[in-house]
Structures are given as structure tokens and as C-alpha cells.
Amino acid sequence: MKISEVTREIIKDHCGISDNDSDGLLDVYREAAVLQISGYTGLSREALDDHPDLAYALLAIIGEMFSTRDMRVEYDKLNPMAKQIMDLHTVNLL
């Protein structure tokens, strides 16, 4: 599945959400997660779709955003699986 094909319903299924109360929040999280993946890998938004496994990284990041809902120093690490997937497609290595 391509990142652009990940719908709000798929995100809700992943996060275990059954109502519409969090729809606006999920849209914010989705946009932030796409930007995080794009920034981390150095791939354009369009190029993200060339790597279907990044859809899982997107869901993992959004899931953590939804379940944590805040940023603290103790949560300064990326989801290990999302990081591993993004590392496979990083083009901006120094």
C-alpha cells in the first residue's frame, strides 16, 4: 500500500478508534507523520509512494502520536520498526 492510499479509516483501524471524535486530530497526525518520514528519508512526498513499506512506518508513527499525545524527553526516540523501515529508504545520508 502506498502512503497516499492510507485513509483515515485505515488509520482509525490501526489505532483502534471506532468513532469520529478524533478525525481532526488524526488529520494533523497524518500530515506530521508524512513530513517526518519525508524529512528523515530525504524523499519527496511523491517518492514516498515508491516504497510501500513506508505505509507501515506512517501507521506506526501516527499510532504513537495518538497513544502518547504529548512530547517528553523520555519519548525522544523513533518507533524502532518505523526507524528501520525509513533507514532502508534514506537518501540524505551525510
Side-chain angles (χ1 to χ4, degrees), residues 4-39:
S4 64
E5 296 172 343
V6 177
T7 64
R8 189 185 299 145
E9 291 307 312
I10 292 169
I11 294 168
K12 288 166 108 174
D13 286 345
H14 178 77
C15 294
I17 301 168
S18 58
D19 58 32
N20 298 327
D21 294 345
S22 300
D23 285 359
L25 191 59
L26 294 177
D27 292 342
V28 171
Y29 291 162
R30 185 186 194 291
E31 180 64 16
V34 168
L35 291 172
Q36 181 179 6
I37 294 168
S38 180

Side-chain angles (χ1 to χ4, degrees), residues 24-88:
L25 191 59
L26 294 177
D27 292 342
V28 171
Y29 291 162
R30 185 186 194 291
E31 180 64 16
V34 168
L35 291 172
Q36 181 179 6
I37 294 168
S38 180
Y40 185 95
T41 62
L43 297 170
S44 68
R45 290 176 84 107
E46 296 77 23
L48 296 178
D49 276 348
D50 295 335
H51 309 284
D53 52 341
L54 288 174
Y56 173 79
L58 178 77
L59 291 171
I61 292 168
I62 293 172
E64 285 195 14
M65 288 177 175
F66 182 76
S67 65
T68 305
R69 295 194 194 166
D70 62 3
M71 288 205 163
R72 299 181 189 168
V73 174
E74 63 190 88
Y75 300 121
D76 66 340
K77 305 288 186 259
L78 285 173
N79 173 293
M81 182 59 75
K83 182 181 181 322
Q84 186 176 0
I85 291 169
M86 290 187 294
D87 282 346
L88 292 173

